[in-house]
Amino acid sequence: MLAGQVDPLTTGMMLCEVICAAQALSMPELAREWTDLMEHWRGGAAFGGIHGRCRVHRAELLRITGPCDAAEAEALTACAELRPWMRREYGWPLVELGMIRLRKGDLAGAEDAFVVAERIAWSAQPGISLLRLAQGDAATAAALMADAIAHPVDIPWKERPPSGDLRAAPLLDAQSAIAAARADLQTCESAARELARISSQFPSRGLAASASLAQARAALLRDEYADARRLALEAARTWAELEAPFESALARAALPAMHSRPRAIATARGFSGMRPGAGSASTAHWATPRTFRRGWRACLPARPSPGQAPRSGVTEQCA
């Protein structure tokens, strides 16, 4: 394939499959390497829907590394390029657009993207549940996530993870965050156990970091602060080494709260309002996700300001 002995269509599809596998395994470092190769290749060889698929992969990686403004631009362009070619899988770039907007704090824009995806029979999970959590409706978020895990949608999509466990991992990660926000210890522990089991089956540092953070959330609810700190720090370091600043910041967000259970429960879900320097002197050096707004614009979801009007950009540009 790399020697140029395969036709362009087959080459593009094979590159796409490798990147999908890396992302399903939560291996952004490997996905980044192959995406860079795909970017060089597609300039003169890609055609049709391959261009759009490449853009979705690039948007996914930019959501992880930042900047999110660039990720959103890539996702919108991917929507425009893929619409004529892959109506069946058109929900893929739409959901990615929603996830990017959610990460930016654009809740109205995220809802717009998720609604359009659901309208064409594409599951918007775990994004829609995390959106409800960010909107302050944790009960609905928990119910939606429980249903998504109990009744997974079998979308005919060639780029989905080949393993049921890999498909479930992002849902379990979201369920852990939602359960922590609701102080639901039983669900939080169950999600953490499942993530730990899945991460033990695959050689992925990203999956291991997700499992560690889920275990940290559960430990936090059990008032086991030393274990929670150790596990959260382990997750934060791993994500930082994988060049995933937002995920690293989510793990770090729990650390300043170890001496205050009410604040700990709030930060366990990753939506803390603490600013750098808040808290005790021993924890003031830990950055929270909001610290990354300036550098990566990978800010935490925030509630819309009063009077903020819903956006219809996705419907107008992509539907």
Side-chain angles (χ1 to χ4, degrees):
M1 179 176 69
L2 298 181
Q5 299 177 0
V6 182
D7 66 89
L9 178 59
T10 302
T11 299
M13 299 304 288
M14 291 173 69
L15 285 169
C16 196
E17 294 289 350
V18 172
I19 296 168
C20 284
Q23 291 177 325
L25 286 164
S26 193
M27 301 175 71
E29 72 284 12
L30 184 60
R32 191 177 302 116
E33 178 181 347
W34 282 92
T35 299
D36 288 343
L37 176 62
M38 197 173 195
E39 283 292 305
H40 290 296
W41 167 84
R42 78 181 178 100
F47 62 92
I50 298 297
H51 272 297
R53 291 177 182 272
C54 296
R55 287 193 187 277
V56 181
H57 288 309
R58 180 168 169 75
E60 290 170 337
L61 287 172
L62 283 170
R63 171 166 55 87
I64 294 173
T65 64
C68 271
D69 284 346
E72 183 176 18
E74 285 286 349
L76 283 169
T77 304
C79 286
E81 291 183 351
L82 288 175
R83 184 183 179 190
W85 296 93
M86 49 180 285
R87 292 298 290 178
R88 186 185 70 176
E89 300 176 15
Y90 187 51
W92 174 35
L94 285 171
V95 170
E96 180 56 35
L97 178 62
M99 294 297 291
I100 292 166
R101 287 177 170 175
L102 177 62
R103 179 154 294 189
K104 290 180 64 178
D106 179 6
L107 303 192
E111 175 121 29
D112 194 19
F114 291 146
V115 166
V116 175
E118 292 277 1
R119 190 180 299 159
I120 59 175
W122 194 271
S123 174
Q125 294 290 5
I128 194 71
S129 292
L130 293 173
L131 174 62
R132 296 293 174 253
L133 178 64
Q135 291 170 332
D137 191 354
T140 297
L144 289 172
M145 186 49 57
D147 182 71
I149 292 174
H151 306 97
V153 178
D154 189 16
I155 300 173
W157 180 30
K158 75 174 190 62
E159 299 189 42
R160 68 185 310 190
S163 164
D165 283 342
L166 289 178
R167 297 175 194 173
L171 303 180
L172 291 166
D173 183 51
Q175 185 178 53
S176 165
I178 295 167
R182 304 181 71 225
D184 180 353
L185 177 59
Q186 182 177 356
T187 301
C188 196
E189 288 181 326
S190 175
R193 282 195 301 270
E194 279 298 292
L195 277 172
R197 181 186 63 79
I198 293 170
S199 69
S200 70
Q201 296 179 356
F202 300 95
S204 164
R205 299 181 68 203
L207 285 175
S210 294
S212 292
L213 181 54
Q215 292 169 329
R217 290 168 178 149
L220 209 55
L221 293 179
R222 294 192 298 265
D223 295 330
E224 297 172 357
Y225 297 135
D227 284 344
R229 180 180 179 82
R230 173 181 56 79
L231 290 163
L233 183 57
E234 180 180 314
R237 285 173 173 165
T238 299
W239 283 123
E241 290 169 0
L242 293 175
E243 298 182 35
F246 184 85
E247 279 72 16
S248 180
L250 283 182
R252 290 172 182 258
L255 294 173
M258 295 304 170
H259 301 295
S260 171
R261 181 178 173 87
R263 185 71 61 84
I265 293 174
T267 57
R269 64 179 179 174
F271 298 119
S272 170
M274 290 189 69
R275 295 181 179 142
S280 66
S282 62
T283 58
H285 64 286
W286 292 112
T288 65
R290 294 190 187 278
T291 309
F292 292 90
R293 180 189 295 270
R294 182 178 305 159
W296 289 277
R297 291 188 62 84
C299 56
L300 286 170
R303 294 186 181 182
S305 58
Q308 179 178 346
R311 293 178 44 176
S312 57
V314 178
T315 305
E316 294 171 356
Q317 298 178 45
C318 305

